[in-house]
Amino acid sequence: AGCPPQPVVPEPAPTPAPMAETRIIVDQRGIEVEVPKQIERLVALPMPLPSIIFSIVGSGESVIGMHPTSMVAVERGILAEMAPELLKADTGFVTKGFEVNLEELLKLNPDVVIQWGHVPEVVEAMERAGLPVIVIEFRMQEGECSQDNFEEWLRIVGELFGKEERAAELIGMQREIISEVMTRVAEIPQADRPSTLLLFRLDNGLVRTVGGGWSS
């Protein structure tokens, strides 16, 4: 007589992978954006962001993609020495202006993308592709304080990386300097104040200035 059939023991069900921790960041649209708690792969399209991130985080390791103009600034400035890791960031996903090649951007597998608010169609396309997008605004219109706006950028980056205290420290330092300057010039008549010509060089080599409506 043969051996009795042995009962079939089912394979244990695989343990589901733990869900990555996330948190909510409110961007300058007032939109709540769910992002990973630990940001390791960030794409920053607004040009000031790489230097802002370095000043708050102390490293550029998390920046895996940036605008080509940002890369030019890194290469030509002190950041190339202070944060050489920024030189590894990809720029090839940017097509023109602040438009992107979504396929190339998705290949970077970013945890989060930061984008300007004045290209809502680009933001919407990235969101439809499943990317978390934090929007910051370029607010320089009359009646709006550019310093307040810049402080919002610092706040958002600080929250994104869990560096709220460092962001607050930088904001406090800036406010102290602005207050000192304003105190020193308060009693100088406008007619006696020196005029300033602000020039900056574009990527194509042309030199540009700004009009009277500019505030900084």
Side-chain angles (χ1 to χ4, degrees):
C3 296
Q6 298 297 311
V8 177
V9 179
E11 292 286 336
T15 303
M19 295 289 289
E21 289 188 79
T22 63
R23 55 191 168 133
I24 299 298
I25 302 293
V26 178
D27 68 10
Q28 284 192 281
R29 297 173 294 178
I31 299 293
E32 294 184 346
V33 183
E34 186 175 9
V35 300
K37 188 173 182 179
Q38 187 72 28
I39 302 298
E40 297 178 351
R41 302 181 63 80
L42 181 143
V43 169
L45 281 144
M47 279 87 76
L49 262 295
S51 58
I52 290 175
I53 291 169
F54 176 74
S55 68
I56 291 177
V57 180
S59 167
E61 289 289 350
S62 62
V63 181
I64 60 164
M66 68 174 73
H67 196 279
T69 302
S70 295
M71 182 59 76
V72 171
V74 171
E75 292 171 341
R76 296 179 180 176
I78 191 65
L79 272 180
E81 298 180 27
M82 297 178 66
E85 63 272 15
L86 287 172
L87 297 171
K88 302 175 186 177
D90 191 283
T91 62
F93 64 95
V94 180
T95 54
K96 61 177 181 178
F98 294 96
E99 297 180 16
V100 301
N101 181 317
L102 262 180
E103 183 177 350
E104 294 301 314
L105 177 57
L106 289 169
K107 287 180 182 178
L108 297 178
N109 192 29
D111 294 326
V112 63
V113 179
I114 305 180
Q115 173 64 298
W116 287 123
H118 66 267
V119 284
E121 67 286 350
V122 180
V123 172
E124 291 165 7
M126 292 191 291
E127 290 175 331
R128 286 196 300 269
L131 294 172
V133 183
I134 291 176
V135 167
I136 67 172
E137 304 285 357
F138 186 73
R139 296 171 178 164
M140 301 296 288
Q141 293 85 3
E142 185 177 352
E144 292 191 1
C145 177
S146 57
Q147 178 62 25
D148 290 346
N149 192 45
F150 183 67
E151 290 179 7
E152 274 294 287
W153 300 353
L154 294 173
R155 177 193 66 77
I156 288 172
V157 172
E159 288 186 5
L160 191 59
F161 287 94
K163 298 285 186 179
E164 292 90 344
E165 289 187 7
R166 173 59 177 165
E169 179 186 10
L170 291 175
I171 290 170
M173 290 168 57
Q174 290 183 355
R175 289 181 178 178
E176 287 180 10
I177 293 170
I178 291 171
S179 176
E180 181 180 352
V181 171
M182 297 302 292
T183 299
R184 290 188 179 191
V185 303
E187 297 182 4
I188 302 175
Q190 190 68 39
D192 294 340
R193 298 181 185 183
S195 57
T196 303
L197 175 61
L198 175 63
L199 300 172
F200 52 96
R201 184 180 299 276
L202 303 178
D203 292 346
N204 59 12
L206 295 177
V207 176
R208 182 177 176 182
T209 187
V210 294
W214 180 273
S215 61
S216 60

